[in-house]
């Protein structure tokens, strides 16, 4: 059986932030500082993912994990999608961008599963769902530990039941997409400390804490609450190794608030409130990844224009604590004195 949790000098796990911020350089920097780096497979082709894994391995000989999306197809409301496209068409035109096709895909899950098995990635984590027992057994048979992102104790029970090696407990404070198995309002909205304590009551698996952790005190708090490590994402967004866009970096350094929204992707995600979110959140349907594909060209054009008001500014509630420092310095500082 694979080790559920690797031996780390510092109990810090880099959150896999798909869509640009996560890079091989960031994963390697965290790993070389004694933490655990992650490569984000989301929105990458299998060839790009292979390149990212190999690039990280060129930069570190320490373990680096891979995060996979587990997207189940659900029946999207086509009328709601059409109506939403009509509402945001003027925004796209303003940036000279077309709207994308509101289509479903599973992010090439099967191909990526084959790839991580072939490359013997030490840890594979799943987001948005619970893998089947067969998938878990197949990965474990290749010496790969399986982590599952959970947002409620019941999800933790399901993940333990299929044989998961560890649980990533994602509190409501976390930036980016909610990792809930079902994208339903009111589900998966527990604060991190409550989630840790409640999940510990139903499972003895190692718990990795995620959400609103951005300094040494936060790391100490989740370790005291029963976690074996803190998974940190937003607080790494300003690092030079991160692939965070210029307008996103700028927004992280200014005062602001965060909220959950489906406006950009069709799935609840936490980001800094901007004009697009204010205007379109009330009308955004629950349809992932259809809305993601619909808005992707618009967001790409706005990002290229340096406009933070029409892009997803994913960030956790503690984003104001993010610092523009090398990832290794942050990892060591967060772990000092623990």
């Amino acid at each position: 059986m694979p080790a559920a949790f690797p031996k780390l000098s510092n109990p810090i796990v880099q959150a896999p932030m798909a869509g640009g911020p996560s890079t091989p350089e960031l994963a390697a920097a965290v790993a070389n500082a004694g933490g655990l780096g992650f490569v984000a497979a989301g929105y990458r082709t299998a060839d790009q993912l292979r390149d990212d894994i190999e690039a990280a391995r060129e930069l570190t000989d320490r373990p680096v994990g891979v995060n996979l999306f587990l997207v189940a197809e659900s029946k999207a409301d086509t009328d709601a999608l059409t109506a939403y496209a009509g509402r945001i068409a003027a925004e796209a035109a303003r940036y000279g961008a077309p709207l994308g096709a509101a289509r479903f895909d599973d992010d090439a899950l099967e191909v990526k599963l084959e790839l991580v098995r072939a490359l013997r990635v030490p840890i594979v984590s799943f987001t948005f769902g619970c893998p089947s027992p067969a998938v878990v057994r197949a990965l474990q048979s290749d010496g790969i530990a399986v982590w599952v992102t959970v947002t409620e104790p019941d999800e933790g029970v399901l993940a333990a039941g299929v044989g998961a090696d560890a649980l990533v407990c994602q509190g409501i404070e976390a930036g980016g997409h909610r990792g809930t198995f079902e994208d339903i309002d009111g589900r998966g909205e527990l604060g991190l400390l409550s989630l840790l304590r409640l999940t510990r009551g139903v499972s003895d698996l190692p718990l990795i804490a995620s959400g609103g952790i951005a300094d040494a005190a936060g790391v100490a708090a989740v370790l005291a609450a029963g976690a074996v490590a803190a998974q940190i994402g937003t607080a790494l967004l300003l690092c030079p190794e991160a692939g965070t866009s210029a307008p996103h970096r700028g927004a992280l350094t200014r005062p602001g608030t965060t909220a959950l929204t489906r406006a950009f992707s069709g799935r609840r995600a936490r980001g800094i409130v901007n004009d697009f979110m204010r205007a379109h959140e009330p009308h955004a349907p629950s349809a992932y990844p259809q809305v993601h594909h619909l808005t992707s060209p618009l967001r790409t054009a706005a990002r290229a224009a340096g406009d933070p008001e029409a892009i997803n500014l994913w960030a956790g509630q503690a984003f104001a604590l993010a610092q523009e420092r090398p990832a290794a310095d942050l990892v060591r500082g967060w772990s000092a004195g623990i």
Side-chain angles (χ1 to χ4, degrees):
M1 289 292 291
F5 190 82
K7 293 181 179 179
L8 302 177
S9 303
N10 296 311
I12 306 298
V13 176
Q14 170 234 324
M17 298 171 286
S22 285
T23 63
E25 292 77 12
L26 181 61
V30 171
N32 286 332
L36 177 66
F38 259 90
V39 170
Y43 313 129
R44 304 289 281 170
T45 67
D47 286 342
Q48 289 171 330
L49 176 58
R50 178 187 292 274
D51 290 344
D52 288 347
I53 295 169
E54 292 177 348
R57 288 177 170 177
E58 287 291 320
L59 297 169
T60 184
D61 58 1
R62 297 172 183 261
V64 170
V66 171
N67 175 255
L68 299 177
F69 287 173
L70 194 58
V71 186
E73 186 166 11
S74 58
K75 194 168 184 179
D77 186 331
T78 55
D79 289 341
L81 280 168
T82 299
Y84 192 61
R87 287 183 179 277
I88 65 174
E91 296 257 13
R94 183 156 62 92
Y95 293 100
L99 290 176
R103 60 183 175 83
F104 174 83
D105 70 82
D106 69 352
D107 203 51
L109 176 64
E110 291 301 323
V111 177
K112 291 177 181 178
L113 280 170
E114 292 179 7
L115 177 62
V116 296
R117 292 184 66 188
L119 295 181
R120 293 295 195 271
V121 172
I123 298 170
V124 170
S125 67
F126 289 92
T127 302
F128 303 154
C130 188
S132 69
V135 166
V136 174
R137 287 194 298 269
L139 290 167
Q140 291 171 339
S141 70
D142 288 323
I144 300 170
V146 176
W147 295 7
V148 179
T149 305
V150 301
T151 61
E152 293 186 340
D154 288 351
E155 292 177 345
V157 171
L158 288 173
V162 301
D165 295 294
L167 305 176
V168 180
C169 293
Q170 185 198 47
I172 192 63
E173 305 92 336
H177 283 103
R178 302 301 302 145
T180 48
F181 293 179
E182 295 180 283
D183 183 35
I184 299 172
D185 289 341
R187 294 286 300 275
E189 296 183 1
L190 287 168
L192 177 56
L193 292 179
S194 297
L195 177 61
L196 285 171
R197 299 310 303 151
L198 291 170
T199 304
R200 174 53 69 226
V202 297
S203 175
D204 59 0
L205 291 177
L207 305 181
I208 297 90
S210 177
I213 309 165
D215 58 14
V219 173
V222 297
L223 296 181
V228 297
Q231 179 171 276
I232 300 178
T234 300
L236 293 167
L237 286 174
L238 292 179
C239 295
E241 301 93 342
T244 316
S245 70
H248 196 170
R249 286 177 182 268
L252 290 164
T253 64
R254 296 188 291 270
T257 59
T258 68
L260 295 179
T261 184
R262 288 191 176 93
F264 298 101
S265 72
R267 185 181 179 95
R268 288 172 301 162
R270 183 174 296 282
I272 299 171
V273 176
N274 61 5
D275 288 347
F276 191 94
M277 191 189 298
R278 292 187 192 95
H280 301 298
E281 166 57 25
H283 314 288
S286 176
Y288 180 86
Q290 290 90 337
V291 174
H292 161 77
H293 291 303
L294 181 71
T295 67
S296 182
L298 185 165
R299 290 180 284 127
T300 297
R303 199 173 288 114
D307 188 352
E309 296 302 329
I311 63 174
N312 49 298
L313 302 169
W314 297 153
Q317 289 179 338
F319 76 88
L321 296 176
Q323 301 177 59
E324 192 173 352
R325 295 172 56 192
D329 291 352
L330 292 174
V331 169
R332 296 187 183 108
W334 292 332
S335 303
I338 294 174

